[in-house]
Each structure stands twice: as C-alpha cells, then as structure tokens.
Amino acid sequence: MSETPDKEDELAGTEQPFVQHLMELRDRLLKALVAVGIVAAVLFFFPGPGRLYDFLAAPLVAHLPQGATMIATSVISPFMVPLKILLMSAFLVALPVVLYQVWAFIAPGLYSHEKKLVLPLVVSSTVLFFIGVAFCYFFVFGQVFSFIQGFAPKSITAAPDIEAYLGFVMTMFLAFGLAFEVPIAVVVLARLGVVSVDKLKSFRGYFIVAAFVVAAIVTPPDVVSQLALAVPMCLLYELGIWAAQIFIRTTKAPEDSAESAS
C-alpha cells in the first residue's frame, strides 16, 4: 500500500544565515529612519514646527477666554515642544513606510495562510489607530475643553503651559488610539484560540463595565471624555466579534480547512 507523499514545504530553501538576517534588519531600519528624516525635513520648512503646534493647540485656544494665550514656563520649551511635535508628526506621516519595512522583513518567513493573517491585521490596526487619534482631535477635544471652561471661575484667566498641554494631548491620543484597537485584540484572541467567539459574546457585560472603568482612569474627570472613550470601545468590541468570525474562516491553514471539510 503506497503512502501519500508529504506536501512540499513552501518555505523550504528560503533559510538565510543569522548574520544576513541582521544585515537585512539594519537595512530596513535605516530605510525607515531615512523616510522619517525626509518627512521631518519637509515638515520643518512647510508648514514648520510652530504651525504644527498651532494646529495641535487649536482646539484648546478656541475655547480660551478672549485675549488669553498659552504660556511657556521653561526657557527651552518654545524650542523643544514644537520640535517634539515635528518629530511625532514625521513619524506618523512616514508610518506606512515604516510598517512596509517591517512587513518586508518578516513576510519571507511566513506561509501563505500566515500572510493572510498578518498583513490585514497590520493595515487595519494602523488605520484604526489613526481613526482613534482623529476622533479625539476633531470631536473629543472640542467637547472636553468647552466643558472644562464652562466650570472655570470668572476670576481666573486660563493660561495653560504648552509642555503640559503636549503631555495631555499625547496621553489622550494614545488612549483613544489604543482604544480603537479593540477589534484587533478581539480578532487575534479568537484566531489564536485563546477564547472562542461564543465566550466573547458572553463577556459583553463584563467588557462594558471594564470599558467605563478604563475611561474613568485614563481620561480627565469629566463625563464627556469618559463617554467619548467608553461608548466607542463597546461598539468596537461588537465589531471585533463580527470580524473575528469572518477572519477565522478566511485565514485557516490548508490542513485545517481540509480537516473541517472532511
């Protein structure tokens, strides 16, 4: 009785020496740094670090009292803060190139079904992070600053420090960017078999409570920002459950698909 020959490994013969892997990693990192540097050079001349900070501060400035401005309490803050904004903006603009270099480094070592798993997650997680940051800037900031200024006593003139404002903005951007990654976390957990889709559905109530607790911790102590973070997290959890069911079906390994069919 003849035995069926094993299917040829599609990665057979693609192994490279460890030193060659390190050299390729170095080249990919250099290309990513060059991309960030080029974008930073362009942003330095247009629109410039000062205008970038003005754009970032626009939601707060729009709600300050008439004639009030932001202040710098440190001697070097007027130089360092816009420079930090410049580098952050350059990294975000060049992020697609950086992620492409990461993908180009790891893709040769992945099977076809693994590429179907990794690439959509990389792209979708990046897009969702940008959506979270944009949602925070264009919607949440305006509501939060308007709410806060409504409680400010008339005897106090608001003059926020530019460095403190930068720290606040970075915290909020990171919180909303990561919160919008909830569908990715749900999909990965379900795809790796850590938790089933049915279990995820049964955890809805616990996740809602956890979302409001997280929102209360990472956002300012106002109802607006807490709701603006917790409600999208709950909706994105539902989106993640729906996406996980589709993702599991479309990224099965060939042998898993054959077993399911049999």
Side-chain angles (χ1 to χ4, degrees), residues 19 23 25 43 66 74 88 104 119 129 135 139 141 152 166 192 207 217-218 221 223 229 232 258 261:
V19 175
M23 293 177 63
L25 177 60
L43 293 178
Q66 185 69 27
S74 174
M88 180 195 71
L119 183 58
F129 186 85
F135 176 76
F139 175 75
F141 279 173
L166 176 62
L192 295 179
F207 184 82
I217 294 173
V218 302
V223 178
L229 181 62

Side-chain angles (χ1 to χ4, degrees), residues 10-79:
E10 63 181 280
L11 297 182
T14 62
E15 298 84 357
Q16 295 180 351
F18 179 71
V19 175
Q20 191 168 349
H21 278 295
L22 290 180
M23 293 177 63
E24 183 181 0
L25 177 60
R26 179 202 61 188
D27 294 340
R28 297 294 180 186
L29 289 175
L30 286 176
K31 290 178 181 179
L33 290 174
V34 168
V36 174
I38 292 174
V39 174
V42 173
L43 293 178
F44 182 83
F45 292 101
F46 181 82
R51 289 187 178 181
L52 285 174
Y53 189 87
D54 291 340
F55 175 77
L56 188 67
L60 175 60
V61 174
H63 292 88
L64 290 178
Q66 185 69 27
T69 62
M70 301 182 71
I71 62 172
T73 57
S74 174
V75 175
I76 62 174
S77 289
F79 171 76

Side-chain angles (χ1 to χ4, degrees), residues 219-236:
T219 60
D222 64 274
V223 178
V224 177
S225 60
Q226 292 176 7
L227 289 176
L229 181 62
V231 173
M233 286 179 66
C234 297
L235 297 177
L236 290 168

Side-chain angles (χ1 to χ4, degrees), residues 141-164:
F141 279 173
Q143 303 300 320
V144 169
F145 297 145
S146 176
F147 180 84
I148 292 175
Q149 290 301 320
F151 277 85
K154 300 299 182 182
S155 58
I156 297 177
T157 301
D161 176 60
I162 61 173
E163 198 158 3

Side-chain angles (χ1 to χ4, degrees), residues 38-252:
I38 292 174
V39 174
V42 173
L43 293 178
F44 182 83
F45 292 101
F46 181 82
R51 289 187 178 181
L52 285 174
Y53 189 87
D54 291 340
F55 175 77
L56 188 67
L60 175 60
V61 174
H63 292 88
L64 290 178
Q66 185 69 27
T69 62
M70 301 182 71
I71 62 172
T73 57
S74 174
V75 175
I76 62 174
S77 289
F79 171 76
M80 291 301 300
V81 173
L83 184 61
K84 293 177 182 178
I85 297 297
L86 174 67
L87 295 176
M88 180 195 71
S89 302
F91 177 77
L92 292 177
V93 173
L95 188 58
V97 178
V98 175
L99 292 177
Y100 172 78
Q101 297 302 325
V102 175
W103 171 250
F105 178 72
I106 66 174
L110 300 177
Y111 292 98
S112 298
H113 68 276
E114 292 174 333
K115 292 179 181 179
K116 293 180 181 179
L117 171 66
V118 176
L119 183 58
L121 290 178
V122 171
V123 174
S124 57
S125 62
T126 304
V127 172
L128 285 173
F129 186 85
F130 280 134
I131 292 175
V133 171
F135 176 76
C136 180
Y137 178 84
F138 290 104
F139 175 75
V140 177
F141 279 173
Q143 303 300 320
V144 169
F145 297 145
S146 176
F147 180 84
I148 292 175
Q149 290 301 320
F151 277 85
K154 300 299 182 182
S155 58
I156 297 177
T157 301
D161 176 60
I162 61 173
E163 198 158 3
Y165 177 72
L166 176 62
F168 169 80
V169 167
M170 293 297 99
T171 301
M172 292 290 285
F173 279 174
L174 186 61
F176 277 84
L178 293 179
F180 273 64
E181 300 292 331
V182 167
I184 305 300
V186 172
V187 168
V188 170
L189 290 175
R191 179 61 183 83
L192 295 179
V194 176
V195 62
S196 66
V197 174
D198 292 333
K199 282 290 185 181
L200 289 171
K201 293 178 180 179
S202 66
F203 288 160
R204 282 191 180 102
Y206 299 103
F207 184 82
I208 292 174
V209 174
F212 278 90
V213 171
V214 171
I217 294 173
V218 302
T219 60
D222 64 274
V223 178
V224 177
S225 60
Q226 292 176 7
L227 289 176
L229 181 62
V231 173
M233 286 179 66
C234 297
L235 297 177
L236 290 168
Y237 183 79
E238 295 296 325
L239 176 63
I241 294 176
W242 172 78
Q245 299 176 68
I246 299 175
F247 203 71
I248 291 173
R249 290 198 302 266
T250 57
T251 59
K252 283 185 177 180

